Amino acid sequence: EVQLMESGGGFVQPGGSLRLSCAASGLTFSSYAMNWVRQAPGKGLEWVSHISGAGGTTYYADSVKGRFTISRDNSKNTVYLQMNSLRAEDTAIYYCAKIDTTVRYFEYWGQGTLVTVSS
Amino acid sequence: QSVLTQPPSVSAAPGQKVTISCSGGSSNIGINYVSWYQQLPGTAPQLFIYDNTKRPSGIPDRFSGSKSGTSATLGITGLQTGDEADYYCGTWDNSLSAWVFGGGTKLTVL
């Protein structure tokens, strides 16, 4: 059974940094692209970032480009999201999601970790 | 403003049928597969439809998906109170090099 467990969320002031982690189990981790998707309170889903299985290809939403960095350690079955220069509008639940083999849909989702940016 | 457009809400009585539309463009739905996700209150999203029409194991056949041109539709028959949730469509956008979602549709079973 595939399991994704996010951690690292919390309260941070505007301009601060935070690193999220997503530990995966039940899969050959390096074979799959991974993504971060966020959801602001009471709002819809917003895709944040994508990283390929080997880590060589990354994509970012325009709203986070230049501030967030996605990475992965396949030896630890973990994907990270380094978030810098945080803004109030980054406040959201951040979900880790596994992409299917064909890279056509989000097959599994973690339970999410809450990031609150406020002074 | 979401790249994919969904109605904010739909409603129907138990046992009835409902459809949820998802409208996009030539760089996303027009050339890529659409997936649908159900999000129950307070929980993470769950894959419900993939590759436009396919259901993952465990998803009842009351749920169906279709796609035509730059639009996709999620259909739910035999509505149950347990189907009350937010539903999101999603796909890849080649022009944006980004995954895009619809704004979500809240289903109410009256």
Side-chain angles (χ1 to χ4, degrees), chain A residues 5-65:
Chain A
M5 182 67 69
E6 302 92 338
S7 61
F11 188 95
V12 62
Q13 292 187 333
S17 298
L18 214 54
R19 188 177 84 155
L20 305 183
S21 300
C22 171
S25 60
L27 74 165
T28 305
F29 184 68
S30 61
S31 296
Y32 300 100
M34 298 293 293
N35 282 248
W36 289 95
V37 177
R38 69 185 180 183
Q39 186 170 35
K43 302 297 184 181
L45 302 176
E46 180 190 15
W47 171 76
V48 173
S49 186
H50 169 113
I51 187 167
S52 61
T57 300
T58 58
Y59 299 103
Y60 297 92
D62 285 345
S63 58
V64 307
K65 204 169 292 183

Side-chain angles (χ1 to χ4, degrees), chain B residues 30-51:
Chain B
I31 54 174
N32 292 311
Y33 288 93
V34 176
S35 51
W36 289 88
Y37 306 88
Q38 180 197 64
Q39 186 176 34
L40 296 169
T43 69
Q46 178 186 0
L47 177 68
F48 253 57
I49 296 288
Y50 68 98
D51 287 359

Side-chain angles (χ1 to χ4, degrees), chain B residues 10-34:
Chain B
V10 296
S11 62
Q16 295 300 304
K17 172 184 176 180
V18 71
T19 60
I20 299 174
S21 61
C22 175
S23 178
S26 58
S27 62
N28 44 69
I29 292 180
I31 54 174
N32 292 311
Y33 288 93
V34 176

Side-chain angles (χ1 to χ4, degrees), chain B residues 20-97:
Chain B
I20 299 174
S21 61
C22 175
S23 178
S26 58
S27 62
N28 44 69
I29 292 180
I31 54 174
N32 292 311
Y33 288 93
V34 176
S35 51
W36 289 88
Y37 306 88
Q38 180 197 64
Q39 186 176 34
L40 296 169
T43 69
Q46 178 186 0
L47 177 68
F48 253 57
I49 296 288
Y50 68 98
D51 287 359
N52 303 329
T53 62
K54 300 176 182 177
R55 285 176 288 106
S57 174
I59 304 304
D61 59 7
R62 300 186 297 106
F63 293 83
S64 64
S66 65
K67 175 184 144 177
S68 178
T70 59
S71 293
T73 302
L74 174 68
I76 312 172
T77 60
L79 277 171
Q80 302 175 3
T81 56
D83 297 334
E84 286 200 335
D86 293 324
Y87 292 86
Y88 296 88
C89 58
T91 189
W92 177 260
D93 190 297
N94 286 35
S95 294
L96 298 175
S97 291

Side-chain angles (χ1 to χ4, degrees), chain A residues 4-10 18-23 36 78-81 83 94-96 110-115:
Chain A
L4 303 174
M5 182 67 69
E6 302 92 338
S7 61
L18 214 54
R19 188 177 84 155
L20 305 183
S21 300
C22 171
W36 289 95
T78 301
V79 61
Y80 305 97
L81 186 68
M83 304 186 296
Y94 284 73
Y95 296 103
C96 168
Q111 289 307 299
T113 187
L114 177 61
V115 172

